[in-house]
């Protein structure tokens, strides 16, 4: 009943890209040369200042450890089950996103040795909990309501954690029982905000119980965390009673600095298998949020707020995500299509089973995948993490894979908005890097930029000694220059423990620490404190990261 049973790769092909899924046709012999330079509006494409790795790249390993270049080291900050406060709340399971907030953030500071971290907890591991509770898995069945301790453990494992962390004597530690330390889990009361609040599409709800499927996310311009609900159908798969699917699949906003502020699900950003958010600004000062729907044959989205961002008044921005326009990408026409029920006749006239499907904007936002289908958006190969380049504003999107198209290794696209404005409804795009043997990277997942513009990439695949990923061994972390002579060439920085993904890379402002999570390691231990026996948050130090 773990995530591996839900995410399986099928087939034996090794094609890097299939025209049917991308519309791009065959790739050039080298991935770094597979660029449509004439499309890129003069953006940097390998002719600028050389970006080089500040470390000697490592090779692939099967080691049950985090393998790093010489001079780097790591320490575990928190593992599943660690108590984080006097209420007895614990650090959750399946750690994914990390967002670091310097302790002096609200004063405009960049403290790189003390801060708050928001960590996502994507899914529970029921088999492990049954072992801890002494429950025979064969006795559970499809409804676990008769096993209240198991249900409690599953709901407490998901959502996210706010934890106070501090660097002392060169080591990052969890500040125990701090006033900021708290959990959002599967039982937390969460407000619905935006157009779908109270609508029939969400069964009239104005608040819902808990958060589930928290994959990646992001940080807002006003210093809150955005946590993305991805594979929310797990609630049914785990046998949770009274599960209402429409209450999940949203972007969740959490204020790490104010425990009293209600946690909110921002319905204006749509409902689908959100991987993450990447926030920027339009030329006129509004907020843009880019998002991918992490599933085969799903789409790429952006949201543009009605209100402008106010850099001088944090409180004025707290409702900025409640109103705006959600768009979906048409790569064939290189345009963004507004998913606006009031103006889009395709949405107004869309029928399913002989009946009109949408009756309001709330319906469109709650059933966003149907809306994207109705307007003819482009289906993609698991669009996961998306990030905005810190210098040129181009947008990088990881497409992890799609075995149903023979695309086992994925690719990363690079989008350039017309006129350099995220508000534009036009864009151009290229393949920045193709996964597979030519590049040496496979199944790109989470992305993160350093200040020089290098793209940090982590992978998501399950290798065995005899499947299509055997040569890639354990999932890794790579630094990929986005300009200069090494444009598009990955340098491997880390290799994760057996069976794990390394998720949620995030650098401190001084770029001397890289936070990363170890998710679903193969080695399980029911007692806390066992190295990589549980999912955990890790700090990596010792060298340069740019």
């Amino acid at each position: 009943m773990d995530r591996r049973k839900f995410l399986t790769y099928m087939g034996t092909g090794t094609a890097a890209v299939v025209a049917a899924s991308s519309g791009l046709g065959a790739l050039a012999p080298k991935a770094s040369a597979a660029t449509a330079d004439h499309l890129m509006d003069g953006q940097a494409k390998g002719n600028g200042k050389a970006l080089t790795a500040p470390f000697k790249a490592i090779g692939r390993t099967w080691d049950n450890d985090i393998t790093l270049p010489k001079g780097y080291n790591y320490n575990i900050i928190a593992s599943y089950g660690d108590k984080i406060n006097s209420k007895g709340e614990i650090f959750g399971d399946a750690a994914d996103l990390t967002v670091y907030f310097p302790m002096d953030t609200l004063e405009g500071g960049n403290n790189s040795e003390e801060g708050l971290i928001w960590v996502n907890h994507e899914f529970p591991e029921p088999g492990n909990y049954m072992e801890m509770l002494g429950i025979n898995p064969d006795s559970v069945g499809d409804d676990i309501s008769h096993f209240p301790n198991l249900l409690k453990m599953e709901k407490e494992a998901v959502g996210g954690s706010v934890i106070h962390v501090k660097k002392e004597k060169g080591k990052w530690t969890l500040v125990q029982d701090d006033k900021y330390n708290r959990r959002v889990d599967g039982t937390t009361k969460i407000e619905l905000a935006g157009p779908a609040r109270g609508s029939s599409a969400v069964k009239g709800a104005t608040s819902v119980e808990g958060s589930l499927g928290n994959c990646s996310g992001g940080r807002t311009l006003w210093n809150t965390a955005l946590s993305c609900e991805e594979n929310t159908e797990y609630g049914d798969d785990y046998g949770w009673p009274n599960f209402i699917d429409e209450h999940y699949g949203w972007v969740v906003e959490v204020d790490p600095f104010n425990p009293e502020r209600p946690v909110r699900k921002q319905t204006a950003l749509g409902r689908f298998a959100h991987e993450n958010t990447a926030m920027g600004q339009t030329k006129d000062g509004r907020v843009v949020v880019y998002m991918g729907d992490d599933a085969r044959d799903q789409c790429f989205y952006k949201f543009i707020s009605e209100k402008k961002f106010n850099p001088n008044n944090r409180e004025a921005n707290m409702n900025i995500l409640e109103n705006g326009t959600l768009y979906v990408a048409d790569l064939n026409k290189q345009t963004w299509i507004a998913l606006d029920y009031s103006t889009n006749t395709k949405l107004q006239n869309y029928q399913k089973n002989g009946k009109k499907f949408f009756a309001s904007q709330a319906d469109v936002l709650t059933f966003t995948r149907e809306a994207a289908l109705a307007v003819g958006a482009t289906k993609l190969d698991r669009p996961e993490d998306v990030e905005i380049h810190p210098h040129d504003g181009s947008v990088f999107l990881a497409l992890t894979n799609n075995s149903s198209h023979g695309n086992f290794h994925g690719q990363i696209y690079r989008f350039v908005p017309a006129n350099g404005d995220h508000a534009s409804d036009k864009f151009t795009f290229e393949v920045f890097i193709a996964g597979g043997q030519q590049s040496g990277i496979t199944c790109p997942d989470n992305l993160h930029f350093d200040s020089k513009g290098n793209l940090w990439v982590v992978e998501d695949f399950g290798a065995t000694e005899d499947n299509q990923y055997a040569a890639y061994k354990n999932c890794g972390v790579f630094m990929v220059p986005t300009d200069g002579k090494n444009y598009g060439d990955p340098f491997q920085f880390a290799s994760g423990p057996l069976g794990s993904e390394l998720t949620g890379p995030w650098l401190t402002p001084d770029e001397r620490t890289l936070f990363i999570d170890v998710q679903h390691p193969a080695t399980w231990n029911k007692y806390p404190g066992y190295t990589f026996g549980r999912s955990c948050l890790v700090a990596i130090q010792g060298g340069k990261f740019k």
Side-chain angles (χ1 to χ4, degrees), residues 159-193:
S161 298
V162 177
I163 56 172
H164 183 177
V165 297
K166 190 174 184 179
K167 185 178 177 182
E168 296 181 306
K169 297 180 180 180
K171 180 181 178 181
W172 283 90
T173 60
L174 168 65
V175 180
Q176 294 285 348
D177 199 23
D178 185 78
K179 66 178 182 179
Y180 293 110
N181 293 356
R182 67 189 189 277
R183 283 297 315 277
V184 173
D185 64 18
T187 66
T188 304
K189 180 181 178 181
I190 301 179
E191 297 293 322
L192 291 182

Side-chain angles (χ1 to χ4, degrees), residues 78-148:
S79 298
Y80 167 64
D82 289 351
K83 288 186 179 180
I84 64 172
N85 57 34
S86 59
K87 293 190 295 184
E89 292 181 323
I90 63 171
F91 190 77
D93 211 344
D96 203 314
L97 170 73
T98 60
V99 183
Y100 176 78
F101 297 87
M103 212 62 197
D104 53 2
T105 291
L106 300 188
E107 291 76 47
N110 283 306
N111 190 326
S112 293
E113 297 193 350
E114 184 176 12
L116 303 179
I117 294 184
W118 168 266
V119 182
N120 273 2
H121 302 297
E122 187 174 2
F123 50 88
E125 296 273 20
N128 296 335
Y129 311 155
M130 291 179 205
E131 180 183 346
M132 295 171 72
L133 294 169
I135 296 174
N136 181 350
D138 295 334
S139 68
V140 176
D142 296 329
D143 183 356
I144 66 170
S145 60
H146 300 299
F147 296 86

Side-chain angles (χ1 to χ4, degrees), residues 532-546:
F532 301 127
R534 298 183 175 201
S535 178
C536 57
L537 167 66
V538 173
I540 300 174
Q541 303 180 82
K544 296 180 180 179
F545 292 94
K546 63 177 179 178

Side-chain angles (χ1 to χ4, degrees), residues 130 199 325 374:
M130 291 179 205
S199 70
T325 303

